[in-house]
Amino acid sequence: MFSDNDKISTRQIFRLFVFDFIGQSTLVLPAKLAAVSGNDGLFSILIGGGLASLYLLYLMRVLRGMDMDLLSFMRQSLPVWVEKTVTFFLIFHFIWMAGYGAYMFSDVMQRSLIRGESYTLILALVLAVAGYAVSGGIESRARIYEVLFVVLFVLLFVMFLVAARDMDMDYLRGFFRAKPAAVAGGSLPVFFCLSPIFLFLFFPAYVKKDNWKKMGYAAAGALWFAVFVIAVLYVILVGTFGSTALSTMRYPAVTLMSSIHLKGSFLKRLDAFMIGIWFFTLFAFVSVFLFYGKELLQKPGKCDGKPAGKKAGLILWGLTFVVAELFRYGEWKGFFINYLCCVAGPLLLVLPAALLVIGKCRKNRRAV
């Protein structure tokens, strides 16, 4: 039987992180990597996975020093002005990440399934459902993704096997041609797509302390499972379309799935069925950032069902809606990329250790 104690298992952590990693990465990375490093984008994926693994080890080390989740540590150990400043940045970051995910979700749905429908209407419905899902807490989300995991990824790997039969091996002969700088540069988008691993610092609040060590193994397993899926998909896409054509596509994974036809299949819209994988993963991506944004906005001791919790949810929903609308204009996408590279990336690297040091120093001064 399911318990209802707002706690999740390490197996559920693995599956939550897989959903957070897979959605946007499989949609946006292949074309970017093909444009930057051609076939050698495969090595960029592996390097990006290695960088994300090092980042996870760093977060695990910081977490041991905090001995509690990030939100509790900030509220208990940091000066008020530091806590509020960091909280503001994280909420700002989570809104932009959720908005980007909502934009991709709505854009894929409009382009692939219901062309001609209003983007704004689709976006509003997506965020409304995501807001409802967030109100159920992390445990209910974890249960849903645990059930969906096997069905979706078994189906995905079956489609990979079917798609692999149509690959042109001539397209796969162009490895080791890109410059090392290009391969290294291609690893950065991979790292940013795996950056939701930062949310690892929030998970101790939802996991029994006896399982904290296993929690790290679950996150690492999810990370490399995602890297494996991205790498396999990339090889199939290059082998099917070639790196030159791949670099010009908007959502090559969706194009690949729409080109698969099973002999004797009773599914007339197999592409629509397969795109459901990206619907669930992008929905998870949007929901997770809305969830933690709401946690940051709420005051300690306030539950989701109280007015403060509802107000926080409405504020996040509205701001995320505005951000997702802005992404329809090209200049805002450029702003987002610059923000990730120049602001969010460096801050997410420095913040965990800096907060730990500030909290420890403040604790030592109190003890004197």
Short mmCIF file of all heavy atoms in Angstrom, two decimals, residues 101-158:
data_model
loop_
_atom_site.label_atom_id
_atom_site.label_comp_id
_atom_site.label_asym_id
_atom_site.label_seq_id
_atom_site.Cartn_x
_atom_site.Cartn_y
_atom_site.Cartn_z
N GLY A 101 10.38 25.38 -20.48
CA GLY A 101 9.76 24.07 -20.66
C GLY A 101 8.33 24.17 -21.15
O GLY A 101 7.90 23.41 -22.03
N ALA A 102 7.57 25.13 -20.60
CA ALA A 102 6.18 25.31 -21.03
C ALA A 102 6.11 25.78 -22.48
O ALA A 102 5.22 25.37 -23.23
CB ALA A 102 5.48 26.32 -20.11
N TYR A 103 7.05 26.64 -22.87
CA TYR A 103 7.10 27.09 -24.25
C TYR A 103 7.36 25.91 -25.20
O TYR A 103 6.67 25.76 -26.22
CB TYR A 103 8.20 28.13 -24.41
CG TYR A 103 8.70 28.29 -25.83
CD1 TYR A 103 7.92 28.92 -26.80
CD2 TYR A 103 9.94 27.77 -26.21
CE1 TYR A 103 8.37 29.04 -28.12
CE2 TYR A 103 10.40 27.89 -27.51
CZ TYR A 103 9.61 28.51 -28.47
OH TYR A 103 10.06 28.61 -29.75
N MET A 104 8.33 25.07 -24.86
CA MET A 104 8.63 23.93 -25.72
C MET A 104 7.46 22.96 -25.78
O MET A 104 7.11 22.45 -26.86
CB MET A 104 9.88 23.20 -25.20
CG MET A 104 11.17 23.98 -25.39
SD MET A 104 12.60 22.96 -25.02
CE MET A 104 12.42 21.68 -26.25
N PHE A 105 6.84 22.70 -24.64
CA PHE A 105 5.69 21.80 -24.59
C PHE A 105 4.60 22.31 -25.53
O PHE A 105 4.08 21.57 -26.38
CB PHE A 105 5.18 21.76 -23.15
CG PHE A 105 4.19 20.65 -22.87
CD1 PHE A 105 4.21 20.00 -21.65
CD2 PHE A 105 3.25 20.25 -23.81
CE1 PHE A 105 3.31 18.99 -21.37
CE2 PHE A 105 2.34 19.24 -23.55
CZ PHE A 105 2.37 18.61 -22.31
N SER A 106 4.24 23.59 -25.39
CA SER A 106 3.16 24.16 -26.20
C SER A 106 3.54 24.22 -27.67
O SER A 106 2.70 23.98 -28.55
CB SER A 106 2.82 25.57 -25.68
OG SER A 106 2.49 25.54 -24.30
N ASP A 107 4.80 24.54 -27.95
CA ASP A 107 5.24 24.65 -29.33
C ASP A 107 5.23 23.29 -30.04
O ASP A 107 4.79 23.18 -31.19
CB ASP A 107 6.66 25.25 -29.36
CG ASP A 107 7.08 25.66 -30.77
OD1 ASP A 107 6.31 26.37 -31.43
OD2 ASP A 107 8.19 25.26 -31.19
N VAL A 108 5.72 22.26 -29.35
CA VAL A 108 5.71 20.92 -29.92
C VAL A 108 4.28 20.45 -30.17
O VAL A 108 3.96 19.88 -31.23
CB VAL A 108 6.44 19.92 -28.99
CG1 VAL A 108 6.22 18.48 -29.47
CG2 VAL A 108 7.93 20.22 -28.96
N MET A 109 3.41 20.70 -29.21
CA MET A 109 2.01 20.28 -29.37
C MET A 109 1.35 21.00 -30.54
O MET A 109 0.65 20.39 -31.35
CB MET A 109 1.24 20.54 -28.07
CG MET A 109 -0.21 20.10 -28.13
SD MET A 109 -1.08 20.31 -26.56
CE MET A 109 -0.33 19.00 -25.59
N GLN A 110 1.59 22.31 -30.65
CA GLN A 110 0.96 23.08 -31.72
C GLN A 110 1.49 22.66 -33.09
O GLN A 110 0.72 22.53 -34.04
CB GLN A 110 1.22 24.57 -31.50
CG GLN A 110 0.50 25.46 -32.51
CD GLN A 110 0.93 26.91 -32.38
OE1 GLN A 110 2.11 27.22 -32.24
NE2 GLN A 110 -0.05 27.81 -32.40
N ARG A 111 2.79 22.43 -33.20
CA ARG A 111 3.39 22.10 -34.49
C ARG A 111 3.12 20.65 -34.91
O ARG A 111 3.03 20.36 -36.11
CB ARG A 111 4.90 22.32 -34.45
CG ARG A 111 5.30 23.78 -34.36
CD ARG A 111 6.80 23.93 -34.15
NE ARG A 111 7.19 25.32 -34.08
CZ ARG A 111 7.48 26.08 -35.12
NH1 ARG A 111 7.44 25.56 -36.34
NH2 ARG A 111 7.82 27.33 -34.96
N SER A 112 2.98 19.75 -33.95
CA SER A 112 2.93 18.33 -34.28
C SER A 112 1.54 17.72 -34.24
O SER A 112 1.27 16.76 -34.96
CB SER A 112 3.84 17.55 -33.33
OG SER A 112 5.17 18.05 -33.36
N LEU A 113 0.66 18.26 -33.40
CA LEU A 113 -0.63 17.60 -33.22
C LEU A 113 -1.83 18.46 -33.58
O LEU A 113 -2.74 18.00 -34.26
CB LEU A 113 -0.77 17.13 -31.76
CG LEU A 113 0.09 15.93 -31.34
CD1 LEU A 113 -0.25 15.52 -29.92
CD2 LEU A 113 -0.11 14.76 -32.28
N ILE A 114 -1.84 19.70 -33.11
CA ILE A 114 -3.05 20.52 -33.30
C ILE A 114 -2.67 21.85 -33.96
O ILE A 114 -2.80 22.91 -33.38
CB ILE A 114 -3.78 20.75 -31.96
CG1 ILE A 114 -2.80 21.11 -30.84
CG2 ILE A 114 -4.59 19.55 -31.58
CD1 ILE A 114 -3.48 21.37 -29.51
N ARG A 115 -2.18 21.73 -35.18
CA ARG A 115 -1.78 22.92 -35.93
C ARG A 115 -2.98 23.83 -36.16
O ARG A 115 -4.08 23.38 -36.45
CB ARG A 115 -1.18 22.52 -37.27
CG ARG A 115 0.11 21.72 -37.13
CD ARG A 115 0.56 21.15 -38.45
NE ARG A 115 1.75 20.32 -38.28
CZ ARG A 115 2.27 19.57 -39.24
NH1 ARG A 115 1.70 19.55 -40.44
NH2 ARG A 115 3.34 18.84 -39.01
N GLY A 116 -2.73 25.11 -36.04
CA GLY A 116 -3.80 26.08 -36.21
C GLY A 116 -4.46 26.48 -34.92
O GLY A 116 -5.18 27.49 -34.86
N GLU A 117 -4.24 25.69 -33.85
CA GLU A 117 -4.81 26.04 -32.56
C GLU A 117 -3.99 27.17 -31.92
O GLU A 117 -2.81 27.33 -32.21
CB GLU A 117 -4.83 24.81 -31.65
CG GLU A 117 -5.63 24.98 -30.36
CD GLU A 117 -7.05 25.38 -30.63
OE1 GLU A 117 -7.84 24.53 -31.07
OE2 GLU A 117 -7.36 26.58 -30.41
N SER A 118 -4.60 27.93 -31.05
CA SER A 118 -3.94 29.06 -30.41
C SER A 118 -2.83 28.59 -29.47
O SER A 118 -3.07 27.76 -28.57
CB SER A 118 -4.96 29.88 -29.63
OG SER A 118 -4.32 30.81 -28.78
N TYR A 119 -1.62 29.11 -29.68
CA TYR A 119 -0.50 28.80 -28.79
C TYR A 119 -0.82 29.24 -27.36
O TYR A 119 -0.54 28.52 -26.39
CB TYR A 119 0.76 29.49 -29.29
CG TYR A 119 1.91 29.49 -28.30
CD1 TYR A 119 2.80 28.43 -28.24
CD2 TYR A 119 2.09 30.56 -27.41
CE1 TYR A 119 3.84 28.42 -27.32
CE2 TYR A 119 3.13 30.56 -26.50
CZ TYR A 119 4.00 29.50 -26.46
OH TYR A 119 5.02 29.50 -25.53
N THR A 120 -1.40 30.41 -27.21
CA THR A 120 -1.71 30.95 -25.88
C THR A 120 -2.69 30.06 -25.15
O THR A 120 -2.55 29.81 -23.93
CB THR A 120 -2.28 32.38 -26.00
OG1 THR A 120 -1.31 33.20 -26.67
CG2 THR A 120 -2.57 32.96 -24.63
N LEU A 121 -3.69 29.54 -25.85
CA LEU A 121 -4.67 28.65 -25.22
C LEU A 121 -4.00 27.35 -24.78
O LEU A 121 -4.23 26.87 -23.66
CB LEU A 121 -5.80 28.35 -26.21
CG LEU A 121 -6.86 27.35 -25.72
CD1 LEU A 121 -7.54 27.86 -24.46
CD2 LEU A 121 -7.87 27.07 -26.83
N ILE A 122 -3.15 26.79 -25.64
CA ILE A 122 -2.44 25.56 -25.28
C ILE A 122 -1.58 25.80 -24.05
O ILE A 122 -1.56 24.99 -23.10
CB ILE A 122 -1.56 25.08 -26.46
CG1 ILE A 122 -2.43 24.72 -27.66
CG2 ILE A 122 -0.72 23.88 -26.04
CD1 ILE A 122 -1.65 24.44 -28.93
N LEU A 123 -0.84 26.91 -24.05
CA LEU A 123 0.03 27.25 -22.93
C LEU A 123 -0.75 27.38 -21.63
O LEU A 123 -0.34 26.85 -20.58
CB LEU A 123 0.77 28.55 -23.23
CG LEU A 123 1.64 29.13 -22.13
CD1 LEU A 123 2.75 28.15 -21.74
CD2 LEU A 123 2.22 30.47 -22.55
N ALA A 124 -1.89 28.06 -21.69
CA ALA A 124 -2.70 28.25 -20.48
C ALA A 124 -3.18 26.91 -19.93
O ALA A 124 -3.15 26.68 -18.71
CB ALA A 124 -3.89 29.16 -20.80
N LEU A 125 -3.59 26.01 -20.81
CA LEU A 125 -4.06 24.70 -20.37
C LEU A 125 -2.91 23.87 -19.79
O LEU A 125 -3.08 23.19 -18.78
CB LEU A 125 -4.70 23.96 -21.54
CG LEU A 125 -6.03 24.54 -22.05
CD1 LEU A 125 -6.50 23.80 -23.29
CD2 LEU A 125 -7.09 24.48 -20.96
N VAL A 126 -1.74 23.93 -20.43
CA VAL A 126 -0.57 23.20 -19.93
C VAL A 126 -0.21 23.66 -18.52
O VAL A 126 0.00 22.85 -17.61
CB VAL A 126 0.63 23.39 -20.88
CG1 VAL A 126 1.93 22.91 -20.22
CG2 VAL A 126 0.41 22.64 -22.18
N LEU A 127 -0.16 24.96 -18.32
CA LEU A 127 0.21 25.48 -17.00
C LEU A 127 -0.87 25.24 -15.96
O LEU A 127 -0.57 25.06 -14.78
CB LEU A 127 0.53 26.98 -17.12
CG LEU A 127 1.83 27.32 -17.85
CD1 LEU A 127 2.01 28.82 -17.94
CD2 LEU A 127 3.03 26.69 -17.13
N ALA A 128 -2.12 25.24 -16.39
CA ALA A 128 -3.21 24.95 -15.45
C ALA A 128 -3.10 23.52 -14.93
O ALA A 128 -3.22 23.27 -13.73
CB ALA A 128 -4.57 25.17 -16.13
N VAL A 129 -2.83 22.58 -15.84
CA VAL A 129 -2.67 21.18 -15.41
C VAL A 129 -1.42 21.02 -14.55
O VAL A 129 -1.41 20.30 -13.55
CB VAL A 129 -2.61 20.26 -16.65
CG1 VAL A 129 -2.34 18.82 -16.23
CG2 VAL A 129 -3.91 20.34 -17.43
N ALA A 130 -0.34 21.72 -14.93
CA ALA A 130 0.90 21.64 -14.15
C ALA A 130 0.68 22.22 -12.75
O ALA A 130 1.18 21.66 -11.76
CB ALA A 130 2.01 22.40 -14.86
N GLY A 131 -0.06 23.30 -12.65
CA GLY A 131 -0.36 23.88 -11.35
C GLY A 131 -1.16 22.93 -10.48
O GLY A 131 -0.90 22.80 -9.27
N TYR A 132 -2.10 22.22 -11.08
CA TYR A 132 -2.88 21.24 -10.33
C TYR A 132 -1.98 20.09 -9.86
O TYR A 132 -2.10 19.63 -8.72
CB TYR A 132 -4.01 20.70 -11.21
CG TYR A 132 -4.82 19.61 -10.54
CD1 TYR A 132 -5.77 19.93 -9.58
CD2 TYR A 132 -4.62 18.27 -10.87
CE1 TYR A 132 -6.51 18.93 -8.95
CE2 TYR A 132 -5.35 17.26 -10.26
CZ TYR A 132 -6.30 17.59 -9.29
OH TYR A 132 -7.02 16.61 -8.67
N ALA A 133 -1.08 19.65 -10.73
CA ALA A 133 -0.18 18.55 -10.37
C ALA A 133 0.74 18.96 -9.23
O ALA A 133 1.01 18.17 -8.32
CB ALA A 133 0.64 18.13 -11.58
N VAL A 134 1.23 20.19 -9.26
CA VAL A 134 2.13 20.67 -8.20
C VAL A 134 1.42 20.72 -6.86
O VAL A 134 2.02 20.43 -5.82
CB VAL A 134 2.67 22.07 -8.58
CG1 VAL A 134 3.34 22.75 -7.39
CG2 VAL A 134 3.67 21.95 -9.73
N SER A 135 0.14 21.06 -6.86
CA SER A 135 -0.60 21.17 -5.60
C SER A 135 -0.72 19.84 -4.88
O SER A 135 -0.96 19.80 -3.67
CB SER A 135 -2.00 21.73 -5.87
OG SER A 135 -2.79 20.80 -6.62
N GLY A 136 -0.52 18.72 -5.60
CA GLY A 136 -0.60 17.41 -4.98
C GLY A 136 0.64 17.01 -4.21
O GLY A 136 0.64 15.98 -3.53
N GLY A 137 1.71 17.81 -4.30
CA GLY A 137 2.92 17.49 -3.56
C GLY A 137 3.84 16.56 -4.34
O GLY A 137 3.48 16.01 -5.39
N ILE A 138 5.03 16.35 -3.81
CA ILE A 138 6.04 15.56 -4.51
C ILE A 138 5.70 14.08 -4.51
O ILE A 138 6.03 13.36 -5.46
CB ILE A 138 7.43 15.80 -3.89
CG1 ILE A 138 8.52 15.25 -4.83
CG2 ILE A 138 7.53 15.20 -2.49
CD1 ILE A 138 9.92 15.63 -4.42
N GLU A 139 5.04 13.60 -3.48
CA GLU A 139 4.78 12.16 -3.38
C GLU A 139 3.82 11.69 -4.48
O GLU A 139 4.04 10.65 -5.09
CB GLU A 139 4.22 11.82 -2.00
CG GLU A 139 4.16 10.32 -1.73
CD GLU A 139 3.68 10.01 -0.32
OE1 GLU A 139 3.32 10.95 0.41
OE2 GLU A 139 3.65 8.83 0.03
N SER A 140 2.77 12.46 -4.73
CA SER A 140 1.82 12.06 -5.77
C SER A 140 2.48 12.10 -7.15
O SER A 140 2.23 11.23 -7.99
CB SER A 140 0.60 12.98 -5.74
OG SER A 140 0.96 14.32 -6.00
N ARG A 141 3.34 13.11 -7.40
CA ARG A 141 4.05 13.17 -8.67
C ARG A 141 4.98 11.98 -8.84
O ARG A 141 5.09 11.39 -9.91
CB ARG A 141 4.84 14.48 -8.76
CG ARG A 141 3.98 15.71 -8.92
CD ARG A 141 4.78 17.01 -8.83
NE ARG A 141 5.94 16.97 -9.69
CZ ARG A 141 7.20 17.04 -9.24
NH1 ARG A 141 7.45 17.13 -7.95
NH2 ARG A 141 8.20 17.03 -10.09
N ALA A 142 5.66 11.63 -7.76
CA ALA A 142 6.60 10.50 -7.81
C ALA A 142 5.87 9.20 -8.13
O ALA A 142 6.38 8.36 -8.89
CB ALA A 142 7.35 10.38 -6.49
N ARG A 143 4.69 9.02 -7.59
CA ARG A 143 3.92 7.79 -7.85
C ARG A 143 3.53 7.71 -9.33
O ARG A 143 3.61 6.64 -9.95
CB ARG A 143 2.66 7.77 -6.99
CG ARG A 143 2.90 7.60 -5.51
CD ARG A 143 1.59 7.74 -4.76
NE ARG A 143 1.76 7.72 -3.32
CZ ARG A 143 0.79 7.98 -2.46
NH1 ARG A 143 -0.42 8.29 -2.91
NH2 ARG A 143 1.02 7.94 -1.16
N ILE A 144 3.09 8.84 -9.88
CA ILE A 144 2.67 8.86 -11.28
C ILE A 144 3.83 8.53 -12.21
O ILE A 144 3.73 7.71 -13.11
CB ILE A 144 2.06 10.23 -11.64
CG1 ILE A 144 0.75 10.44 -10.88
CG2 ILE A 144 1.82 10.34 -13.14
CD1 ILE A 144 0.20 11.84 -10.99
N TYR A 145 4.98 9.17 -11.99
CA TYR A 145 6.13 8.94 -12.86
C TYR A 145 6.69 7.54 -12.69
O TYR A 145 7.25 6.97 -13.63
CB TYR A 145 7.22 9.98 -12.58
CG TYR A 145 6.78 11.39 -12.88
CD1 TYR A 145 7.26 12.47 -12.14
CD2 TYR A 145 5.87 11.67 -13.89
CE1 TYR A 145 6.85 13.77 -12.41
CE2 TYR A 145 5.45 12.95 -14.16
CZ TYR A 145 5.94 14.00 -13.42
OH TYR A 145 5.53 15.28 -13.68
N GLU A 146 6.54 6.98 -11.51
CA GLU A 146 6.99 5.61 -11.29
C GLU A 146 6.20 4.64 -12.16
O GLU A 146 6.75 3.69 -12.73
CB GLU A 146 6.85 5.24 -9.81
CG GLU A 146 7.51 3.92 -9.44
CD GLU A 146 7.50 3.67 -7.95
OE1 GLU A 146 6.70 4.31 -7.23
OE2 GLU A 146 8.28 2.81 -7.50
N VAL A 147 4.90 4.88 -12.27
CA VAL A 147 4.05 4.02 -13.09
C VAL A 147 4.34 4.23 -14.58
O VAL A 147 4.42 3.28 -15.36
CB VAL A 147 2.56 4.29 -12.78
CG1 VAL A 147 1.67 3.54 -13.75
CG2 VAL A 147 2.24 3.91 -11.35
N LEU A 148 4.51 5.48 -14.97
CA LEU A 148 4.72 5.79 -16.39
C LEU A 148 6.09 5.39 -16.90
O LEU A 148 6.26 5.15 -18.10
CB LEU A 148 4.54 7.30 -16.62
CG LEU A 148 3.13 7.87 -16.52
CD1 LEU A 148 3.17 9.39 -16.62
CD2 LEU A 148 2.25 7.30 -17.62
N PHE A 149 7.06 5.31 -16.02
CA PHE A 149 8.45 5.13 -16.43
C PHE A 149 8.63 3.90 -17.31
O PHE A 149 9.17 3.98 -18.43
CB PHE A 149 9.35 5.02 -15.19
CG PHE A 149 10.80 4.84 -15.51
CD1 PHE A 149 11.61 5.93 -15.77
CD2 PHE A 149 11.37 3.57 -15.57
CE1 PHE A 149 12.95 5.78 -16.08
CE2 PHE A 149 12.70 3.40 -15.88
CZ PHE A 149 13.50 4.51 -16.13
N VAL A 150 8.20 2.76 -16.85
CA VAL A 150 8.42 1.51 -17.58
C VAL A 150 7.71 1.55 -18.93
O VAL A 150 8.30 1.22 -19.97
CB VAL A 150 7.94 0.30 -16.75
CG1 VAL A 150 8.06 -0.98 -17.57
CG2 VAL A 150 8.75 0.19 -15.47
N VAL A 151 6.46 1.99 -18.93
CA VAL A 151 5.68 2.01 -20.17
C VAL A 151 6.34 2.91 -21.22
O VAL A 151 6.57 2.50 -22.37
CB VAL A 151 4.24 2.50 -19.89
CG1 VAL A 151 3.47 2.62 -21.19
CG2 VAL A 151 3.54 1.56 -18.93
N LEU A 152 6.69 4.12 -20.82
CA LEU A 152 7.21 5.09 -21.79
C LEU A 152 8.58 4.70 -22.32
O LEU A 152 8.85 4.80 -23.52
CB LEU A 152 7.27 6.47 -21.15
CG LEU A 152 5.93 7.13 -20.83
CD1 LEU A 152 6.15 8.51 -20.22
CD2 LEU A 152 5.06 7.24 -22.06
N PHE A 153 9.46 4.25 -21.43
CA PHE A 153 10.82 4.01 -21.89
C PHE A 153 10.99 2.66 -22.58
O PHE A 153 11.85 2.51 -23.45
CB PHE A 153 11.81 4.19 -20.74
CG PHE A 153 12.03 5.64 -20.41
CD1 PHE A 153 11.36 6.23 -19.36
CD2 PHE A 153 12.85 6.43 -21.20
CE1 PHE A 153 11.52 7.58 -19.08
CE2 PHE A 153 13.03 7.77 -20.93
CZ PHE A 153 12.36 8.35 -19.87
N VAL A 154 10.17 1.69 -22.24
CA VAL A 154 10.16 0.46 -23.03
C VAL A 154 9.69 0.78 -24.44
O VAL A 154 10.29 0.34 -25.44
CB VAL A 154 9.26 -0.61 -22.37
CG1 VAL A 154 8.99 -1.75 -23.35
CG2 VAL A 154 9.91 -1.16 -21.11
N LEU A 155 8.65 1.57 -24.55
CA LEU A 155 8.14 1.98 -25.86
C LEU A 155 9.19 2.77 -26.63
O LEU A 155 9.38 2.57 -27.83
CB LEU A 155 6.87 2.81 -25.68
CG LEU A 155 6.17 3.30 -26.94
CD1 LEU A 155 5.74 2.12 -27.80
CD2 LEU A 155 4.97 4.15 -26.57
N LEU A 156 9.90 3.67 -25.94
CA LEU A 156 10.92 4.48 -26.60
C LEU A 156 12.04 3.61 -27.16
O LEU A 156 12.46 3.80 -28.31
CB LEU A 156 11.50 5.50 -25.61
CG LEU A 156 12.58 6.43 -26.15
CD1 LEU A 156 12.02 7.30 -27.27
CD2 LEU A 156 13.16 7.28 -25.04
N PHE A 157 12.51 2.64 -26.40
CA PHE A 157 13.59 1.80 -26.88
C PHE A 157 13.14 0.88 -28.01
O PHE A 157 13.92 0.54 -28.91
CB PHE A 157 14.19 0.98 -25.72
CG PHE A 157 15.08 1.79 -24.82
CD1 PHE A 157 14.78 1.94 -23.48
CD2 PHE A 157 16.20 2.43 -25.32
CE1 PHE A 157 15.59 2.70 -22.65
CE2 PHE A 157 17.02 3.20 -24.51
CZ PHE A 157 16.71 3.33 -23.16
N VAL A 158 11.88 0.49 -27.99
CA VAL A 158 11.34 -0.28 -29.12
C VAL A 158 11.38 0.58 -30.39
O VAL A 158 11.78 0.12 -31.47
CB VAL A 158 9.90 -0.74 -28.83
CG1 VAL A 158 9.25 -1.29 -30.10
CG2 VAL A 158 9.90 -1.81 -27.75
#
